[in-house]
Amino acid sequence: MAFNTDKNSYTIIFSVLMVLVVGSLLAGVSSGLRENINANKKKEKQQNILFAMGITDPNDPSAFVPADQAKVLFDKYIGEDQFIVSGGTAEKTSDAFAIDIKKEGDKLKNDSNYQRRMPLFVGKKDGKQFYIVPVRGNGLWDAIWGYIALGGDFNTVEGAFFDHKGETPGLGANITEAYFRDDFIGERILSAAGEYKGIAVKKGNGDPKNERKDDNAVDALAGATITGNGVTAMIKKGLKLYLPYFETLKK
Amino acid sequence: MAEVTEDVKVEAPKEPLFSKKNRKLLSDPLTDNNPITIQVLGICSALAITAQLKPSIVMAISVIFVLGIGNVVISLMRNIIPSKIRIIVQLIVVAALVIIVDQVLKAFAYELSKQLSVFIGLIITNCIIMGRFEAFALGNGPWKSFLDGVGNAAGYGVLLVLVAFFRELLGSGTLFGFKVLGDPIEKTGLYAIGYENNGFMVLAPMALITVGIIIWIQRYKNPALIEE
């Protein structure tokens, strides 16, 4: 070959060119596919929300509704009942997914006067109301998030769904398992005296069959203390933001 | 680590596309020079994703794509890559291809991409890919490299599917998610006469043991493969 490929200048020019070519190629692919990817992500959120209110795949009660039906079912059970809650008030919106919970939290961090906006989905199934609250927090390694469906009394949990980005497989990652999330069903977020408690993921709770529904706690996962604490904090902080609005609804 | 000796060199200017030598490039890795059982490369991902057939097949296809194209790209650039940074160049080629695969899966097969999530990223670290770049693509023409890449990735894929078949069948009693052995909860089919799924099969250690058994059978059938 004509080049002296061992020269330093050649090496540098080669790397610069390579970075430019690869960079623009990847940028092109990314922007070309972004629309599809975002549509898929939205479908997944709709599946999660439907799952939290107990709407699952008709053939497999432990699975999401099929992705191609997510939109249809979402429109059927939730439809236009999407709200943006800020403080004690809420306004109806056609797309509460547009609210990025993480960005809203960051805005609040930068500006303590910022009035945080939060998405709320209201579903109706068999004459029952479900108030589905998206929550987001930190696990051991990375973000965890979930959807908590509260019943019409704004106290009892009717369903929950949790997911994570990178918790340890077999330990923290088990928050996605049915045996963990099903424990939340029937638990209450207020104490008997009406004080806000959230739901704690508690070690030594001693309630494996989850018979005590009024203790504001579920059994923790073995070997996943920090992920469990993350779930506790996520629920406690996440639901608290909605309490002022729920109070106005109760009246 | 088992090092592979490549004696194929570009010499005949007018070789037919599918000459005997070229066919060997494609078929050898499927059997007597299998990347997993003989070269013992790419074990980590073979352990991780073979609990079910479907992700194994997608992983196999993704690796065939990445290694086939990657080998060609490296082979085309083999004379202009500065030797000082050749490993970095190889890494960037793999990384770029893997990101493309990842994005395409996210756009068109979202559920699968969620299942494979980490492992798609881990293709970058799959030793088969860097191994083939170093051992073959840097010294051979694009067509030969393509065949070698597809052959090795397919050899990897065949083993992945084989392991996944046994793990899914014995571990979950399903194939591609279909309950072929009956329903373990309703106690139908085999379960009616007391058969139970072996939960251990879905965990990584059993993948290692399954691979071990395959290696054993392969060497038993072909004693020439046994190292002294």
Side-chain angles (χ1 to χ4, degrees):
Chain A
M1 265 289 164
F3 314 110
N4 175 6
T5 56
D6 281 332
K7 256 167 65 184
N8 282 346
S9 55
Y10 176 77
T11 306
I12 291 168
I13 292 167
F14 184 91
S15 352
V16 170
L17 281 179
M18 183 176 65
V19 168
L20 284 178
V21 170
V22 172
S24 46
L25 177 73
L26 290 183
V29 169
S30 165
S31 56
L33 295 174
R34 182 171 301 141
E35 225 162 86
N36 261 323
I37 293 176
N38 286 344
N40 281 332
K41 284 194 174 151
K42 188 168 170 183
K43 261 187 211 156
E44 190 196 4
K45 284 181 188 163
Q46 292 178 331
Q47 284 176 311
N48 291 169
I49 290 171
L50 288 169
F51 192 85
M53 59 183 280
I55 298 160
T56 54
D57 188 339
N59 301 319
D60 180 3
S62 62
F64 296 137
V65 295
D68 49 353
Q69 290 171 31
K71 193 180 171 334
V72 180
L73 289 168
F74 189 83
D75 286 344
K76 181 179 165 197
Y77 287 104
I78 289 152
E80 294 290 297
D81 286 334
Q82 305 175 31
F83 298 90
I84 296 176
V85 177
S86 50
T89 58
E91 68 182 278
K92 211 163 183 162
T93 168
S94 56
D95 188 12
F97 293 106
I99 306 271
D100 187 322
I101 304 175
K102 187 167 175 285
K103 277 190 193 145
E104 289 291 316
D106 291 343
K107 274 187 200 163
L108 191 66
K109 252 181 234 162
N110 299 332
D111 172 12
S112 54
N113 291 323
Y114 180 74
Q115 181 61 53
R116 190 172 173 164
R117 301 182 306 154
M118 294 144 321
L120 174 70
F121 301 90
V122 182
K124 273 190 250 9
K125 192 182 76 167
D126 307 333
K128 265 172 91 176
Q129 295 261 28
F130 295 85
Y131 293 84
I132 300 140
V133 177
V135 287
R136 191 182 169 92
N138 296 318
L140 172 60
W141 304 116
D142 212 322
I144 51 176
W145 59 91
Y147 296 88
I148 313 283
L150 292 173
D153 60 353
F154 304 106
N155 187 6
T156 317
V157 175
E158 297 288 342
F161 175 80
F162 300 104
D163 208 345
H164 65 95
K165 191 166 176 200
E167 297 306 293
T168 322
L171 301 174
N174 285 352
I175 60 169
T176 60
E177 295 286 328
Y179 61 78
F180 179 69
R181 62 168 178 255
D182 286 351
D183 271 6
F184 285 82
I185 298 173
E187 287 288 339
R188 287 163 206 155
I189 60 168
L190 305 176
S191 71
E195 191 191 343
Y196 176 67
K197 290 270 187 195
I199 297 169
V201 177
K202 203 167 154 193
K203 288 203 278 185
N205 191 33
D207 186 15
K209 293 205 173 114
N210 198 31
E211 281 152 350
R212 296 197 314 269
K213 299 286 189 191
D214 51 2
D215 58 353
N216 309 111
V218 296
D219 276 15
L221 292 166
T225 308
I226 295 177
T227 310
N229 291 347
V231 173
T232 307
M234 166 173 89
I235 293 176
K236 190 157 190 182
K237 265 169 61 187
L239 290 179
K240 198 175 181 184
L241 298 169
Y242 290 82
L243 288 180
Y245 178 59
F246 288 161
E247 284 303 319
T248 63
L249 283 183
K250 275 187 204 170
K251 281 167 195 163
Chain B
M1 275 283 144
E3 193 55 49
V4 211
T5 48
E6 292 301 344
D7 47 3
V8 201
K9 276 274 166 222
V10 197
E11 51 215 4
K14 281 274 177 232
E15 213 182 333
L17 275 186
F18 283 100
S19 65
K20 203 172 172 210
K21 244 189 208 162
N22 283 349
R23 280 204 309 273
K24 250 182 109 56
L25 283 178
L26 203 55
S27 63
D28 249 11
L30 290 175
T31 52
D32 288 350
N33 197 9
N34 189 283
I36 295 185
T37 62
I38 309 297
Q39 304 172 32
V40 201
L41 294 172
I43 292 281
C44 357
S45 54
L47 303 189
I49 54 151
T50 50
Q52 286 173 332
L53 269 170
K54 211 168 142 195
S56 311
I57 288 175
V58 178
M59 183 68 162
I61 294 169
S62 314
V63 172
I64 289 175
F65 172 82
V66 171
L67 191 51
I69 310 268
N71 252 2
V72 172
V73 173
I74 291 290
S75 168
L76 285 174
M77 302 201 308
R78 70 187 186 280
N79 291 325
I80 57 164
I81 295 176
S83 57
K84 272 183 269 185
I85 57 164
R86 69 176 198 288
I87 301 276
I88 300 174
V89 174
Q90 289 167 16
L91 260 179
I92 288 176
V93 170
V94 199
L97 287 169
V98 166
I99 292 170
I100 292 173
V101 169
D102 185 45
Q103 295 276 312
V104 168
L105 279 179
K106 268 197 186 132
F108 300 110
Y110 192 72
E111 310 256 304
L112 263 173
S113 91
K114 274 207 75 167
Q115 259 182 51
L116 289 168
S117 56
V118 198
F119 303 112
I120 289 291
L122 285 180
I123 294 179
I124 300 173
T125 61
N126 192 326
C127 357
I128 296 174
I129 292 179
M130 293 290 280
R132 294 328 290 170
F133 284 2
E134 271 289 294
F136 199 90
L138 276 177
N140 289 282
W143 174 242
K144 279 197 157 92
S145 301
F146 177 73
L147 291 178
D148 177 81
V150 170
N152 272 282
Y156 165 80
V158 165
L159 215 82
L160 231 53
V161 171
L162 199 61
V163 176
F165 174 82
F166 287 111
R167 286 182 73 194
E168 188 174 351
L169 185 67
L170 301 176
S172 319
T174 58
L175 287 175
F176 291 108
F178 293 112
K179 296 184 174 117
V180 287
L181 298 181
D183 194 312
I185 300 164
E186 306 277 325
K187 297 277 176 222
T188 59
L190 263 185
Y191 299 97
I193 52 170
Y195 173 80
E196 287 288 340
N197 284 331
N198 183 352
F200 198 34
M201 284 302 283
V202 297
L203 301 176
M206 277 313 282
L208 194 59
I209 292 171
T210 314
V211 172
I213 292 172
I214 293 171
I215 293 178
W216 178 17
I217 294 172
Q218 194 184 12
R219 295 192 186 202
Y220 174 76
K221 293 228 159 188
N222 186 356
L225 296 173
I226 302 170
E227 295 102 353
E228 283 304 316

